[in-house]
Amino acid sequence: MSAIREVRRRTVRDILTAKGKTPVVCLTAYTAPMAKLLDPHVDLLLVGDSLGMVIYGFGSTLPVTLDMMIAHAGAVVRGSSRSLVVVDLPFATYQESKEQAYRSSARVMAETGAQAVKIEGGVEMAETIEFLTRRGIPVMGHIGLTPQSVNTLGGFRTQGRDEAAAARLVADARAVEAAGAFSVVIEGTVEKVAAAISQAISIPTIGIGASAACDGQVLVTDDLLGLFTDFTPKFVKKYADLAGVVDAAAKAYADEVKARAFPGPEHVV
Ligand code: KIV
């Protein structure tokens, strides 16, 4: 009998049933080649609207459009074969109404082949999440520090610092769960609150800057690889220094071109 096992994509059911058993591993991806490199190692590939800052050089995620997300999500789906691909709905493409959220999500799902969307917001987004999940669109929630609300939050600030804020976050998590989300990102939130939420709900919590108390972790890949150098949040661990590698390679190339050492005889066609 063949020893080759069929490799299939993770499903939302796989992610749901991981709770309490095994940590969920998630990284962002925006391009096909990076998706291909990450795919063997993660459960979820998140096409985050962080691409606005990391790829496009914007100062926030607010200028990101649905067309940008769709272009990058299609690339990530094509570059992967086993991870569940989740796509952020960008600012102003879902907050207006649940119908607007459905139209945006339907475009993402139909035009990219991704398996789920992510929506920022808690209690105020519960009705929208329920509307989508009842109509065949799996939703990942996102609570705590929600970057699309940077202007109302007053900056990228840690959330859940006092009792009232902590209680609001637990209520947000419960609302997202009750609305049918299959998992929820908790971003930039104090450990005690992330732990309380992870205990209180039955769907996996995916932390970013929210401690090891969460059921899984996500990082922006360009942070983890040391490729994005504008700033590094405290919660990021750099597993590589690719900016240094790129700098050294570009310098070596430039030096060799100037010295007429490249191309050498072996590169001449
Ligand atoms: O946009 C993004 O990459 C995200 C993660 C930071 C969770 O939402």
Side-chain angles (χ1 to χ4, degrees):
M1 214 165 72
S2 165
I4 299 172
R5 280 188 27 226
E6 189 195 346
V7 179
R8 65 159 178 83
R9 259 193 211 279
R10 298 276 186 278
T11 64
V12 294
R13 202 179 153 71
D14 294 326
I15 305 302
L16 268 167
T17 54
K19 174 108 181 174
K21 294 191 191 112
T22 174
V24 178
V25 183
C26 179
L27 281 172
T28 62
Y30 317 118
T31 64
M34 188 57 82
K36 194 172 172 185
L37 290 171
L38 303 177
D39 193 46
H41 308 290
V42 301
D43 302 304
L44 293 164
L45 284 171
L46 171 65
V47 188
D49 60 356
S50 52
L51 64 78
M53 301 171 83
V54 171
I55 302 289
Y56 287 89
F58 295 129
S60 79
T61 58
L62 302 193
V64 175
T65 66
L66 195 58
D67 284 340
M68 286 158 86
M69 294 307 297
I70 286 173
H72 287 275
V76 169
V77 170
R78 288 190 293 278
S80 60
S81 59
R82 58 178 290 288
S83 312
L84 182 80
V85 178
V86 182
V87 183
D88 263 343
L89 291 190
F91 179 64
T93 67
Y94 64 96
Q95 290 94 340
E96 189 179 341
S97 67
K98 51 192 192 308
E99 289 80 9
Q100 184 203 29
Y102 182 81
R103 280 192 299 276
S104 299
S105 307
R107 273 199 65 197
V108 168
M109 306 285 287
E111 294 178 33
T112 73
Q115 288 79 47
V117 298
K118 177 162 77 60
I119 280 183
E120 293 185 10
V123 171
E124 74 283 10
M125 279 298 147
E127 203 186 327
T128 297
I129 294 172
E130 184 168 1
F131 191 82
L132 297 181
T133 52
R134 281 177 170 267
R135 285 161 181 76
I137 297 172
V139 178
M140 172 185 267
H142 184 157
I143 61 170
L145 200 177
T146 44
Q148 292 176 20
S149 303
V150 61
N151 291 307
T152 44
L153 293 175
F156 296 98
R157 292 165 183 280
T158 303
Q159 302 295 302
R161 284 189 183 280
D162 59 47
E163 292 222 344
R168 276 198 301 276
L169 282 175
V170 175
D172 281 337
R174 287 193 196 280
V176 165
E177 176 195 24
F182 72 92
S183 59
V184 60
V185 167
I186 307 179
E187 179 166 354
T189 297
V190 297
E191 179 170 14
K192 211 172 106 189
V193 179
I197 292 172
S198 301
Q199 297 239 315
I201 63 176
S202 63
I203 58 174
T205 56
I206 316 290
I208 174 161
S211 86
C214 295
D215 301 305
Q217 297 293 326
V218 58
L219 279 179
V220 171
T221 297
D222 298 59
D223 287 337
L224 163 148
L225 294 179
L227 261 177
F228 182 71
T229 53
D230 289 3
F231 60 89
T232 307
K234 180 171 180 277
F235 57 77
V236 168
K237 178 171 176 183
K238 276 195 190 181
Y239 286 82
D241 173 26
L242 291 199
V245 173
V246 172
D247 186 60
K251 181 177 183 317
Y253 167 72
D255 288 348
E256 289 194 5
V257 169
K258 284 180 196 152
R260 299 198 182 282
F262 176 83
E266 69 277 31
H267 304 116
V268 174
V269 293

